[in-house]
Amino acid sequence: MSTARDQLRAARAAGAGVPLEQIGAPDREIAVQILGAFSDYADFTTWLESTVSRGMARKSESARWGLYLTDARNEAEGLRLKREAQEKRERDWQIEQERRQQPKPSNGA
């Protein structure tokens, strides 16, 4: 959990363009809620990176983490669907590659 709290803090500092020391870490409860919005840790890290590029830290009007929690809840489903679609494309590609590598049956000629 401390890793997620540190990651949240670092992303907020990066997004605000301020030293890490100027950003307080979210409390454990809100960090758990933010993580809980995601079904996969990779989705959390993808979302976290997007908070920097989308300027979440600049949009936040207080030092609290409520905007991040709301955003996590709003973005989690879309990230999950994108990840699952990508996984399906990769599986389909792998199946197609395996199919192409199988020897073609001879027709008895």
Side-chain angles (χ1 to χ4, degrees), residues 68-87:
Y68 280 76
L69 176 58
T70 299
D71 189 68
R73 289 175 175 161
N74 290 338
E75 297 290 320
E77 181 70 9
L79 288 170
R80 182 185 65 80
L81 292 173
K82 285 179 185 176
R83 177 181 43 80
E84 289 175 353
Q86 178 63 31
E87 290 169 354

Side-chain angles (χ1 to χ4, degrees), residues 6-20 23-26 48 51-52 56-68:
D6 291 342
Q7 289 175 302
L8 284 160
R9 183 176 172 221
R12 190 167 189 169
V18 300
L20 186 60
I23 303 294
L48 198 56
T51 65
V52 176
M56 287 291 299
R58 293 185 305 275
K59 295 175 186 174
S60 184
E61 296 178 6
S62 75
R64 301 183 64 147
W65 292 87
L67 179 63
Y68 280 76

Side-chain angles (χ1 to χ4, degrees), residues 38-108:
F38 300 96
S39 59
D40 188 277
Y41 188 73
D43 294 346
F44 166 73
T45 58
T46 299
W47 167 79
L48 198 56
E49 292 169 8
S50 81
T51 65
V52 176
S53 63
R54 292 183 295 122
M56 287 291 299
R58 293 185 305 275
K59 295 175 186 174
S60 184
E61 296 178 6
S62 75
R64 301 183 64 147
W65 292 87
L67 179 63
Y68 280 76
L69 176 58
T70 299
D71 189 68
R73 289 175 175 161
N74 290 338
E75 297 290 320
E77 181 70 9
L79 288 170
R80 182 185 65 80
L81 292 173
K82 285 179 185 176
R83 177 181 43 80
E84 289 175 353
Q86 178 63 31
E87 290 169 354
K88 182 183 181 319
R89 283 190 298 274
E90 290 172 2
R91 281 191 309 272
D92 290 348
W93 181 84
Q94 187 174 18
I95 289 168
E96 178 63 20
Q97 293 303 311
E98 290 171 3
R99 186 188 63 78
R100 289 180 184 207
Q101 291 176 359
Q102 291 178 352
K104 293 184 180 180
S106 61
N107 24 343

